[in-house]
Amino acid sequence: MADARNGQTAKSTKIYGDYLLMLAAPCALSIWYYGAAALRTLAVCVLTAFVCDFVAGIIVNKQYYAADLSGICTGIIIAMMLPADVPVYIGMTAVSFAILAAKIPFGGGMRTPFVPAAAGFAFAAVCFKEQIFTYGSGRAFMKSVSLGSSLVSGNTVRLTASNFLDILTGNIYGPMGTTCVIAMLGCVVFLVIRRRQSLIPSAGFLGACLLVSLIFPRSEGSVISCAIMELCSGSLLFAAVFMLTNPATMPVHRANKVVYGVFTGIVCMTMRKLGAFEEPVCFAVLIANAFSPLLDMLTDRARIIVSTRQKAREVKANG
Amino acid sequence: MKIISDLLITALYVVFVQNLVMCSGLGMSEAIRIAKRPGTFLKFAAMISGFSVVTSVICSLIGIYTHSAESYAVKAMIYGGVLTAVYAVTALIVHLITRDKELLGNLGISALNTLVFAVPYINNNAAYSLQNSIGLGLGAGAAFVLAAALIGSGSRALEKNRHIPPAFRGTPAMFLYVALISLGFTGFTGTALF
Amino acid sequence: MDKNYSLSSMMRTGAFRFNPVLVQCVALCPVVAATQNLKDAFFIALAVFAHILVSSFAASLMLRKVSRPVRVAVYLILGLLLICPVLWLIEFKTLINLSFTMRVFLPLVAINSATAVHCETFAVKNDVRTAVYDALAAGTGIGIVMIICGALREIIGSGSILGRTLNFKFTLPAMAMPAGCLVLLGFGAAALQAFTAKRTAEKPARKETSAQPEEIELEVDGDFEPEQVDLDLTIENDDEYAYLLSSVNELIDSFTNKDEEGDEE
């Protein structure tokens, strides 16, 4: 049991260590764009994550696994999805929920059936809908509304060279650390080098999101502009890199990983079109996480049935 | 064509958008119980859908012809009475034809649960047409099975997880698991059903 | 019929140690959907308590010879006859200002799974006193969970208690939703499980120094064979009531799979 726990912690350290390295870029950019406000939100989330993890670990497991970096990672991921000037208690609520309700009770680290950051953000979104989707001012931004709220109101930004560059560099209204496309692409490159397999769901997810946004554009005007806005708005790319790549929550079978990603994309885009929240990707991730063991279970059963039939056929053929 | 599309939209709405079990807890105890028996999912889906459709259609017709259902106490008596009658007739037919005791036991669970009983209320509250009522009834069965399948596969995964702290093993972890699925479904509507 | 029951012991076991909601996962619908505030929770708890008590009494007294498919319908009718007149009085005499949620969910109590489970596992198999004791224990257990959930959900979710504002800086409306209630139930069940495990660990040590606790015997019909039931819970207990409560889910499964012998005619 102790060996298994140590093995799990070592694996968790490796994977979440990678995430921490990848998160350095969005963190730096958020501080660059939003200054002290971003630093404060980040510090509050990380500190809350550490305290919750430590206290709950001591109470529940009688031990705090310092090498399990998932708690800290969850804190940073949630901070990146929040507006920079969000009240302190919102960050604390989101992170506390993520750690106490979605991480610790399931054994933490690589054993959580749901992405804790998605659970924390979803909980905070239900509780503080207005504050979480109202983005504050930072440096010189392209527009006074986020891409997500533009799409909700059916408006398209006319893409020019300058505002396209703004979108790529994250110089737009939105969550403090998720809007920079270049940083996300950098993370993807890092993952390609380190854990290529974990990008399978993300590929399915982005493909499904792109396809849905092309078929059912939410705003009038150029379909291409709308699709680019859909992909670059809110936390969609960020979730593709930091939530869907979580090996603890994705299905085991490779084909199911694609289905899982595509399913998340369809649910996310449906929620964006019909749902109650401007950025519902975390809700979509939670639903997809719930489907993940079901997909594996169905595949296993199908394989058993096929192999049984094959054996029966072989027995029959052999007389 | 419009009738079929109305029926399908209502069914899909109560399965995926506002899953009746996950978003409002209707029939949750039964879903958790049935979740352990994946082999019975389709049977339960068919039975719950059947009872829901028949009950909600009869209740709609009674509502149209009597105009009396202003009081929730009267509504409860009508809906409960209809549900009991539908169950009794079905159980009697099953008893006379097959005498299958397992089927009779499953009929009780399928008919007499909060999900089936709540369907006429939802129907009445949303002022659904006949095709919507049928869609709602069909969707109720599918919503139940979707919830049971999600809970069942999740609880199997939780059983395999040896790292769950002792205090959370079993029911507590399952409650939290269901809570997080329910939170996910909240993303569609952002509100509770009632 | 030579039995030696103690209400306090059955209450301890049935209401707390094997709480119907937190351990047996029954009556989840009224708890999750209708306990958004303390007032609603109190009325729902009262309705559940009354329904389970009346149904258990009736089941033990009159329904033993009736087949199970009929009995489960009788519980619903009994519940409706109990709740609807009260709801009608509340509505037309405006005794209490009931919310829309309550008007819908109060009648749904008539069909809650806790009543059917406890009537079928205990009431129809035992004498009236045992059935009533079991109903009291189950009703109390459900009621306590409902009232605690209602109070916590109102305080955390709305920042008020019994309608009085508490002036919190912020509230968490998600707690008033089903997901929030399930989170509370999860933590409640974990606390109960930890407490029970601690008590069970302490029990052998205490037994050595104190006198033997009062022995509880619970008569079970001959057709029920405990050996056939696989127990998931490993909590040590030596009274049969606790044993039956711990295996209640398996018993329910056995009911749905196979009806009692000679019960249907």
Side-chain angles (χ1 to χ4, degrees):
Chain A
M1 182 76 183
D3 286 347
R5 166 62 82 176
N6 291 338
Q8 281 297 317
T9 310
K11 199 176 169 190
S12 169
T13 308
K14 189 171 169 254
I15 287 168
Y16 288 102
D18 283 355
Y19 277 135
L20 283 180
L21 276 175
M22 293 195 301
L23 281 165
C27 283
L29 277 166
S30 65
I31 294 167
W32 165 257
Y33 282 128
Y34 296 95
L39 201 60
R40 185 206 59 179
T41 305
L42 189 61
V44 164
C45 289
V46 172
L47 199 66
T48 310
F50 173 74
V51 170
C52 289
D53 219 3
F54 183 80
V55 174
I58 296 291
I59 293 172
V60 175
N61 296 321
K62 316 282 182 221
Q63 198 177 347
Y64 170 65
Y65 298 99
D68 175 15
L69 300 169
S70 62
I72 304 292
C73 210
T74 300
I76 300 175
I77 291 174
I78 289 176
M80 292 297 106
M81 290 192 294
L82 293 172
D85 53 357
V86 75
V88 169
Y89 60 82
I90 294 182
M92 289 170 80
T93 305
V95 176
S96 308
F97 185 84
I99 302 292
L100 300 177
K103 187 199 156 192
I104 295 286
F106 301 107
M110 299 301 298
R111 291 287 175 175
T112 51
F114 297 91
V115 178
F121 185 84
F123 183 79
V126 176
C127 292
F128 312 105
K129 192 178 169 185
E130 294 297 318
Q131 293 101 313
I132 273 196
F133 299 114
T134 307
Y135 303 108
S137 58
R139 284 167 163 261
F141 286 107
M142 185 179 93
K143 276 176 75 76
S144 57
V145 288
S146 66
L147 292 181
S149 52
S150 294
L151 286 165
V152 169
S153 51
N155 299 321
T156 319
V157 176
R158 233 185 91 215
L159 289 176
T160 60
S162 75
N163 62 22
F164 188 63
L165 192 68
D166 281 336
I167 289 176
L168 286 181
T169 55
N171 190 20
I172 49 173
Y173 256 41
M176 71 184 207
T178 67
T179 48
C180 180
V181 177
I182 295 172
M184 295 306 125
L185 289 176
C187 294
V188 170
V189 172
F190 183 86
L191 277 174
V192 169
I193 298 164
R194 297 278 292 179
R195 289 189 288 124
R196 201 169 299 168
Q197 289 290 318
S198 63
L199 279 169
I200 296 172
S202 307
F205 172 70
L206 292 175
C209 289
L210 183 67
L211 205 64
V212 174
S213 59
L214 287 173
I215 298 169
F216 305 105
R218 275 200 291 170
S219 58
E220 291 171 7
S222 161
V223 177
I224 304 292
S225 297
C226 181
I228 291 172
M229 279 175 72
E230 287 281 11
L231 292 186
C232 298
S233 68
S235 307
L236 198 132
L237 280 177
F238 187 79
V241 175
F242 290 98
M243 291 183 182
L244 285 154
T245 53
N246 189 330
T249 56
M250 68 172 74
V252 177
H253 303 292
R254 185 180 287 199
N256 285 348
K257 287 179 185 175
V258 180
V259 175
Y260 168 76
V262 171
F263 178 76
T264 317
I266 292 169
V267 173
C268 177
M269 296 309 284
T270 313
M271 279 184 173
R272 276 188 168 189
K273 206 164 173 68
L274 308 171
F277 299 93
E278 185 186 310
E279 183 46 270
V281 68
C282 290
F283 295 97
V285 169
L286 285 181
I287 293 178
N289 288 165
F291 273 86
S292 173
L294 184 64
L295 285 173
D296 277 337
M297 195 185 83
L298 292 175
T299 310
D300 288 340
R301 283 183 180 236
R303 283 184 179 181
I304 290 167
I305 290 167
V306 169
S307 67
T308 316
R309 280 186 186 165
Q310 267 178 355
K311 273 181 191 169
R313 245 179 259 146
E314 281 169 15
V315 170
K316 207 175 174 184
N318 295 335
Chain B
M1 194 63 196
K2 192 183 175 299
I3 292 173
I4 295 169
S5 73
D6 276 1
L7 191 148
L8 279 176
I9 286 167
T10 315
L12 288 173
Y13 182 82
V14 294
V15 177
F16 296 107
V17 178
Q18 187 128 40
N19 186 288
L20 293 178
V21 182
M22 289 301 176
C23 293
S24 43
L26 297 168
M28 194 172 268
S29 304
E30 286 79 9
I32 289 174
R33 204 179 305 155
I34 301 303
K36 293 173 193 163
R37 292 187 278 156
T40 60
F41 283 176
L42 287 178
K43 196 162 60 178
F44 274 102
M47 286 195 285
I48 289 177
S49 292
F51 281 119
S52 302
V53 168
V54 175
T55 310
S56 87
V57 167
I58 294 174
C59 290
S60 298
L61 293 175
I62 290 174
I64 290 166
Y65 289 112
T66 59
H67 305 283
S68 62
E70 289 304 314
S71 154
Y72 275 84
V74 176
K75 275 182 195 170
M77 283 306 284
I78 293 172
Y79 299 164
V82 169
L83 179 56
T84 315
V86 171
Y87 165 70
V89 169
T90 317
L92 189 68
I93 293 168
V94 169
H95 180 74
L96 291 174
I97 296 172
T98 68
R99 290 181 181 254
D100 184 345
K101 288 167 192 169
E102 188 187 334
L103 184 59
L104 275 172
N106 288 338
L107 273 182
I109 293 184
S110 314
L112 305 177
N113 62 62
T114 46
L115 176 62
V116 179
F117 196 5
V119 163
Y121 279 101
I122 300 167
N123 209 1
N124 178 269
N125 194 36
Y128 276 156
S129 61
L130 188 69
Q131 60 266 30
N132 290 131
S133 304
I134 296 169
L136 177 65
L138 294 173
F144 182 85
V145 167
L146 177 68
L150 291 178
I151 296 169
S153 60
S155 64
R156 264 183 288 279
L158 292 177
E159 275 168 23
K160 286 180 197 160
N161 183 351
R162 290 177 297 116
H163 299 287
I164 293 179
F168 285 95
R169 246 167 244 164
T171 316
M174 201 184 57
F175 276 139
L176 289 166
Y177 190 90
V178 180
L180 293 173
I181 306 176
S182 176
L183 185 62
F185 277 101
T186 310
F188 279 110
T189 54
T191 53
L193 183 63
F194 287 115
Chain C
M1 289 284 169
D2 182 24
K3 293 175 197 140
N4 183 19
Y5 301 116
S6 144
L7 176 62
S8 63
S9 175
M10 281 186 82
M11 198 65 105
R12 261 199 314 274
T13 314
F16 297 99
R17 192 166 156 198
F18 292 101
N19 185 284
V21 181
L22 299 179
V23 180
Q24 296 168 8
C25 295
V26 289
L28 284 180
C29 173
V31 177
V32 167
T35 61
Q36 289 168 355
N37 56 59
L38 184 54
K39 190 179 129 190
D40 287 1
F42 177 75
F43 285 114
I44 285 279
L46 209 63
V48 171
F49 190 88
H51 182 218
I52 201 165
L53 196 63
V54 170
S55 301
S56 290
F57 181 78
S60 179
L61 197 68
M62 298 178 286
L63 302 176
R64 285 190 192 203
K65 302 286 176 196
V66 180
S67 70
R68 182 168 296 126
V70 178
R71 279 202 300 263
V72 287
V74 172
Y75 304 143
L76 167 61
I77 293 166
L78 273 176
L80 289 172
L81 291 175
L82 194 74
I83 292 163
C84 289
V86 179
L87 186 60
W88 189 84
L89 272 177
I90 290 171
E91 276 186 325
F92 284 92
K93 303 288 175 189
T94 53
L95 297 176
I96 311 149
N97 189 19
L98 274 189
S99 62
F100 170 70
T101 311
M102 284 297 288
R103 283 165 207 255
V104 173
F105 279 99
L106 212 50
L108 291 192
V109 164
I111 207 166
N112 86 82
S113 52
T115 305
V117 164
H118 279 267
C119 288
E120 288 303 305
T121 45
F122 298 100
V124 291
K125 291 172 178 288
N126 288 285
D127 64 313
V128 174
R129 193 179 62 156
T130 314
V132 169
Y133 280 6
D134 172 64
L136 284 172
T140 308
I142 297 168
I144 287 170
V145 171
M146 282 179 168
I147 287 170
I148 291 173
C149 275
L152 286 175
R153 289 174 82 182
E154 191 176 358
I155 292 169
I156 306 170
S158 318
S160 62
I161 187 77
L162 288 168
R164 285 182 204 143
T165 312
L166 295 171
N167 291 323
F168 288 156
K169 191 178 176 188
F170 64 94
T171 57
L172 304 176
M175 295 311 285
M177 305 194 68
C181 185
L182 285 162
V183 169
L184 284 180
L185 290 181
F187 284 113
L192 183 67
Q193 196 155 293
F195 177 75
T196 311
K198 202 178 169 191
R199 283 290 297 269
T200 316
E202 283 171 2
K203 211 175 172 183
R206 220 187 299 159
K207 262 186 182 174
E208 286 170 13
T209 54
S210 64
Q212 287 290 315
E214 188 183 1
E215 197 175 315
I216 295 165
E217 291 171 20
L218 193 78
E219 188 181 288
V220 182
D221 275 6
D223 57 350
F224 169 69
E225 292 173 26
E227 295 80 28
Q228 292 177 347
V229 179
D230 287 324
L231 276 181
D232 280 337
L233 298 173
T234 51
I235 299 160
E236 276 185 34
N237 61 72
D238 50 7
D239 66 58
E240 202 168 358
Y241 180 58
Y243 178 85
L244 284 173
L245 281 174
S246 70
S247 60
V248 80
N249 286 328
E250 286 77 6
L251 281 166
I252 301 161
D253 288 345
S254 73
F255 290 155
T256 56
N257 290 332
K258 200 180 81 176
D259 213 336
E260 283 176 306
E261 288 293 318
D263 153 288
E264 78 292 353
E265 298 302 334

